[in-house]
Amino acid sequence: MRTHQNWWGVAVAALVVAWPAWAARPYRGGAVATAHPEASEAALRMLDKGGNAVDAAVAAAFTLGVVAPYHSGIGGGGFALVHEAKTGGTRVLDFREVAPAAATRDMYVKDGKVVPGLSTDGVTSVAVPGAVAGYLELLEKHGKLPRAVVLQPAIDAARNGFWVSPKYQAMAAMRRDCLRQDPEATRLFLTKNDKGEPDVPPIGHLVRQPELARTLQTLAKNGPKPFYSGPLAQAMVDTVKAGGGLLSLEDLKAYKTRTHEPLEGSYRGHRILTMPPPSAGGLAVVQVLGALERLRPKGMSYRDPEDLHLYAEAVRRVYVDRVKYLGDPAFVKIPMERLTSSGYIADLAGSIDPKKATPSASLLAPRENAGSTLKNPTDTWYDPASAPEKKNTTHISVIDKDGNAVALTTTVNYGFGSCVVAKGTGVLLNDEMDDFAALPGVPNAYGLVTGEANSIAPGKVPLSSMSPTLVFAKDDPKKVMLVVGSPGGSTIPTTVIQVISHIVDQGMDVTRAVGMGRVHHQYLPDELWVDRWGLEPATQAALEAKGHKLRKQEAWGDAEAVYSDPKTNLRYAASDPRNEGTALGQD
Ligand code: GLY
């Protein structure tokens, strides 16, 4: 009897060890993860119609812009990595917004101080949108399905409406005052409260966007031209100019997407491709993972305070590099080869004291070397206690049945972007200008400090944190194993790093990897953020004993990931349980 029990115990233990590989639902065909069920369903519909990963990702992107206007839309911009299984090649498309030609370095500064709200709220915060050019270029160059088919789910969603969810309510509450400033945004996104004032709509209220449906129909029929030089362009310019903003018809006509070589790194034998500048996110992913591999050659232990300390210290250091060097590569020379070299990463890892936290100010004095002329280092409107989950952006991960993959991160920046809807078009415009250093060294809405390299200039791309990332199978560097990305502004790279480490180091299934509590540092503020499910009290105490100042945050990020098992080719998709997304796949 006893022997029998022992055998049973061994069998259960073996099952537990083997479980992570097939804990989530497996799909034999394609799989997708997005931040909204309607977008995931739109993507799946494209796969079922014989479309590829690009058709699916673009359908999801257009749909997300309709049903989740608080994080993305055709008035925004983004980045995509597109991997073609047949050739093994990966293309990077950068369709991020650029500063209008009339933008100036100090446009948000008065009397030596950043004017609160000017770079986040209203027409003054609007950069030249790139999403339409980007989504449609992806479709034209890499998709299989007709434009009208791919845009149909978004058109239907705009016409028929979507119902207000708790997430919508939270975002609308955060941006209520901003939305109230714009009559079109008020009409579309708010409802009257008991006092007759525009307010957050009740759960279940249907948000219909008939003008946006017409705009999307125009794009489906005519492609991007009307958006950049036709009546849609004119409407956007008229709205922005009427409020005193800078966007011009010439800016829209001149808008061009950009292609880049993917930024390459590796982690424990897995090739990694991610987003190069003008994102700072991909570099952080490559540098931190590189440092962790050196610091812990046998792998990172899960939630071991010693390992968490090394992780936090590596992250702190790469965010210093961000301040010092990063901006739009078309405007500033970034020493990428040096920053990604094994010698540099070894030095970075070697500079970490395993016993105690390094004060951020000792690595780079705040405001100095960032090119700031500010006298008072406390001049900022950023509220460090503001919850990071309220910052926005969204990510789409897709792998199709043939192994083609898309990682697409897209944004209007802050919740509901600028809160300005171009009259008669339904186009909600971004506030991406806030991703520039309004004054080098002064934090933006994410509390993130960037330097002179990210100062404002006409036609320049604001520095981003968006980190769409592909991780490849160990024994086949051309076969995608994981597609991952997240919103969350400054926390995007650390969310991506932690998902990758959970899968590669801990062998976690993708669902758990995406759901686990998170830890974040960003150099300034000099705090280690721990999310609600982040760490046990004893672990927190051990980190505090090393000198980390912990700040508990409710939650952040919305990781969307698809994992393809290199051995079986079965796909597992995961949408962050912190939010309202869905992961779907084909049987
Ligand atoms: N707007 C957020 C980012 O690009 O990082």
Side-chain angles (χ1 to χ4, degrees), residues 510-564:
V510 68
T511 305
R512 248 173 289 217
V514 157
M516 285 300 167
R518 296 188 183 126
V519 181
H520 172 78
H521 205 295
Q522 58 182 45
Y523 157 62
L524 291 176
D526 191 348
E527 298 165 342
L528 190 60
W529 294 0
V530 178
D531 89 5
R532 191 175 168 194
W533 301 283
L535 301 173
E536 296 71 13
T539 315
Q540 293 180 32
L543 286 163
E544 276 166 343
K546 283 185 183 290
H548 293 282
K549 185 174 161 218
L550 265 55
R551 179 187 288 279
K552 287 187 199 147
Q553 300 275 18
E554 180 65 8
W556 65 80
D558 187 353
E560 305 294 332
V562 176
Y563 177 83
S564 179

Side-chain angles (χ1 to χ4, degrees), residues 468-505:
T469 299
L470 304 175
V471 181
F472 291 80
K474 212 170 191 168
D475 53 6
D476 187 347
K478 292 197 169 159
K479 187 175 187 178
V480 173
M481 181 184 87
L482 177 70
V483 185
V484 61
S486 177
S490 52
T491 64
I492 294 173
T494 51
T495 296
V496 168
I497 290 162
Q498 287 168 93
V499 172
I500 294 172
S501 169
H502 291 334
I503 290 175
V504 172
D505 288 310

Side-chain angles (χ1 to χ4, degrees), residues 77-79 96-97 278-281 322 391-393 409-414 431-432 434-435 444 446 448 462-467 486-493:
F79 302 134
R96 184 143 163 96
E97 301 91 327
S279 174
R322 177 183 178 131
K391 320 299 197 296
N392 253 281
T393 292
T409 313
T410 185
T411 188
V412 287
N413 193 29
Y414 214 45
D431 61 346
E432 217 66 57
D434 189 63
D435 273 347
N444 70 356
Y446 299 96
L448 194 60
L463 190 64
S464 174
S465 299
M466 293 189 288
S467 318
S486 177
S490 52
T491 64
I492 294 173

Side-chain angles (χ1 to χ4, degrees), residues 243-373:
L246 301 179
L247 185 71
S248 70
L249 271 183
E250 290 67 38
D251 288 327
L252 285 161
K253 273 190 199 143
Y255 184 83
K256 282 197 173 51
T257 62
R258 300 150 295 271
T259 53
H260 306 282
E261 284 303 308
L263 177 59
E264 182 158 353
S266 72
Y267 192 51
R268 305 193 196 281
H270 294 272
R271 180 177 176 235
I272 290 176
L273 294 181
T274 185
M275 189 66 209
S279 174
L283 178 64
V285 170
V286 165
Q287 287 181 316
V288 171
L289 289 176
L292 296 182
E293 200 175 311
R294 278 164 183 78
L295 290 159
R296 286 285 183 263
K298 293 201 175 124
M300 295 289 285
S301 311
Y302 181 59
R303 287 186 176 169
D304 179 329
E306 300 300 322
D307 289 14
L308 281 168
H309 166 72
L310 298 178
Y311 156 80
E313 290 301 307
V315 172
R316 183 200 302 275
R317 283 158 175 77
V318 308
Y319 274 76
V320 171
D321 282 351
R322 177 183 178 131
V323 181
K324 287 210 273 203
Y325 303 113
L326 293 196
D328 180 353
F331 284 72
V332 288
K333 188 145 178 45
I334 307 170
M336 285 301 284
E337 218 168 293
R338 182 166 73 84
L339 295 175
T340 54
S341 67
S342 55
Y344 184 86
I345 292 174
D347 286 348
L348 187 153
S351 74
I352 294 172
D353 182 340
K355 295 208 171 60
K356 60 177 198 302
T358 309
S360 287
S362 72
L363 295 173
L364 180 71
R367 314 289 150 86
E368 285 171 26
N369 301 338
S372 174
T373 48

